[in-house]
Structure formats: structure tokens, C-alpha cells
Amino acid sequence: TLIAAGSPLSISVVAVPDASYAGDAGQSGRFAEQIDKALASKPSVIVVFGGLGDVGEPDGQITQSAIDLYAELIRRAPTTKLVVIGPIWHTQPVPDDFIAIDVDLEKAARITHTTYISLIQKDWLVADGLMQGDTAPTDEGQAVLARQLNPILQQQIHDPSKSVLP
């Protein structure tokens, strides 16, 4: 929503807190359960962002769940650009479990020829006041994410030849 403000983009947000690729995220469920809602607005670009809800899940299960999600989105919306943004963390050094999730998601994106943007080593949310607890950015943290992600997403929308970003 913050990215859409001040831009010509129309964005439908179907995110739910604590959703995951493979994990049992309590009431939130898995990303795959949101496919119908994500496709309802007939988007030209779909962004899948996250992965921290999969901490503790086996690497192979995370990778396969991500492959299945990306493949289903591609199958059901073949002309829609799919962009996957990996998880971001707010302390340095980043815990190994979160780096492993990033690796799993990048592998799934590579296998499905999906654009992948890794954020795990970005220090965008390291400053005080940007996080509430360990999992949710504050309003200020959300604004930082929007400022940092806006040019990256704009590049993806306007230059489809860019398939993988650092």
C-alpha cells in the first residue's frame, strides 16, 4: 500500500501475517492458500514476500513448497510476472536458519525460472524503532521497506528482462 501511494500502481494486498511456504503458521496458513485471492484482481505482477514463518521446517520441504507455489501461480497466470522477495531480518549477523530459508527460496525460484530478490543480508531494518518484536516492522519500518523496495519493484515492472537481483 505504501508503494502504491505516490505512484500510478494499483496494488491489491492479500497478505496475512505469519503465513508461510511449508510451515504450520497457526491461523494464517500457507501462501498457497492465498492463490485464488491473489489472482482475483487479474494482476500483471504478483509479488510473494516473506518466508520467516518457515523457521524450523526441513529445507527440502520449504524448497518443494515454494516450487509448488511458484509453479501453480505460473500455470494459472502464465502472462503475469512473478517476483519473489525473500525474507528480511533486523539484526546482524543474520541467524543461520534465516539464511537457509533464503537459500531454499532462491533455489525454488531458479528451478521455476522465477525472479528472486534476496533481502536477507540487507540491514534496512537494523536501526532502533523499526521493528516491533522479532517479526513485524513498525510503521516507520514499513516506510523504510517501501522506500527501499519501490525502485526495485519499479525496475521489475518496467524492465522485465531483469530476472534476478542481488
Side-chain angles (χ1 to χ4, degrees), residues 126-141:
V126 171
D128 287 340
L130 299 182
M131 293 294 296
Q132 50 191 359
D134 273 345
T135 59
T138 62
D139 289 346
E140 187 179 347

Side-chain angles (χ1 to χ4, degrees), residues 54-72:
D54 288 300
V55 168
E57 297 297 329
D59 289 341
Q61 184 177 342
I62 296 168
T63 302
Q64 189 58 56
S65 294
I67 290 169
D68 294 346
L69 173 67
Y70 307 157
E72 183 67 6

Side-chain angles (χ1 to χ4, degrees), residues 2 13 28 31 39 45 48 51 64 72 79 84 92-93 99 103-104 114 116-117 120 125 129 134 142 147:
L2 292 175
V13 178
S28 296
F31 290 135
L39 296 178
V45 178
V48 179
Q64 189 58 56
E72 183 67 6
T79 61
V84 176
Q92 297 292 333
I99 292 172
V103 169
D104 295 337
T114 299
Y116 188 74
I117 300 166
I120 200 65
L125 297 176
D134 273 345
Q142 292 285 358
R147 276 194 307 275

Side-chain angles (χ1 to χ4, degrees), residues 6-90:
S7 84
L9 299 175
S10 172
I11 296 179
S12 299
V13 178
V14 299
V16 292
D18 300 322
S20 64
Y21 284 91
D24 180 13
Q27 300 294 328
S28 296
R30 296 180 179 188
F31 290 135
E33 295 168 10
Q34 299 169 51
I35 291 175
D36 290 338
K37 198 172 172 185
L39 296 178
S41 65
K42 300 187 181 355
S44 58
V45 178
I46 294 174
V47 177
V48 179
F49 183 9
L52 295 179
D54 288 300
V55 168
E57 297 297 329
D59 289 341
Q61 184 177 342
I62 296 168
T63 302
Q64 189 58 56
S65 294
I67 290 169
D68 294 346
L69 173 67
Y70 307 157
E72 183 67 6
L73 287 166
I74 292 165
R75 183 187 72 76
R76 290 184 53 191
T79 61
T80 300
K81 171 127 177 133
L82 177 59
V83 177
V84 176
I85 301 174
I88 188 166
W89 194 242
H90 60 279

